[in-house]
Amino acid sequence: MTATVLINTDDCKGEYTMFDLRSLDEDGAVLDGPLYLEIGETLELRVEKGDKSIEILARVHAVDDKEPSMVVRFVEKDPNLADFIK
C-alpha cells in the first residue's frame, strides 16, 4: 500500500507519492519515506490498496528518526475506512 500526500493550497498544488504504508488502522497510520513533516502538521493522504483508494485528513503525531517512520492520526473518522482496511 502507498500513501500520497495531497497538497492543495493557494501557493501549491500537487500529489506526492512519497510514503510507504507500514501500518493502517481506524485511528491512523505509520508511514515510511524520505521526508517527514513537523509534529502537529495537518495533511491530506490518499491511501491506495489495489484498485481502491481513500482520502483522509491526518495530523502528524510523532516522528522517529532511529527507526525512520512518521505516525499520523486521522483528524476525521471516515465511515468507509473500516471496510477499506479489511
Side-chain angles (χ1 to χ4, degrees):
M1 285 192 280
T2 61
T4 301
V5 176
L6 305 175
I7 296 176
N8 188 11
T9 65
D10 292 337
D11 300 334
C12 186
K13 294 185 187 313
E15 298 184 9
Y16 302 93
T17 306
M18 53 196 238
F19 295 108
D20 290 322
L21 201 59
R22 276 197 190 174
S23 67
L24 174 69
D25 62 33
E26 291 185 41
D27 295 319
V30 178
L31 307 173
D32 190 14
L35 174 70
Y36 298 114
L37 303 173
E38 296 288 323
I39 294 173
E41 272 191 85
T42 302
L43 59 145
E44 187 171 359
L45 290 177
R46 179 187 305 123
V47 178
E48 298 175 359
K49 179 173 106 175
D51 62 346
K52 297 180 181 180
S53 69
I54 192 166
E55 292 181 11
I56 308 168
L57 190 61
R59 182 171 292 120
V60 178
H61 178 74
V63 176
D64 186 350
D65 292 332
K66 295 176 188 163
E67 190 175 314
S69 64
M70 180 172 69
V71 177
V72 298
R73 296 285 177 237
F74 300 136
V75 175
E76 300 170 350
K77 298 291 183 183
D78 187 315
N80 299 314
L81 184 57
D83 288 336
F84 181 81
I85 292 173
K86 291 179 185 177

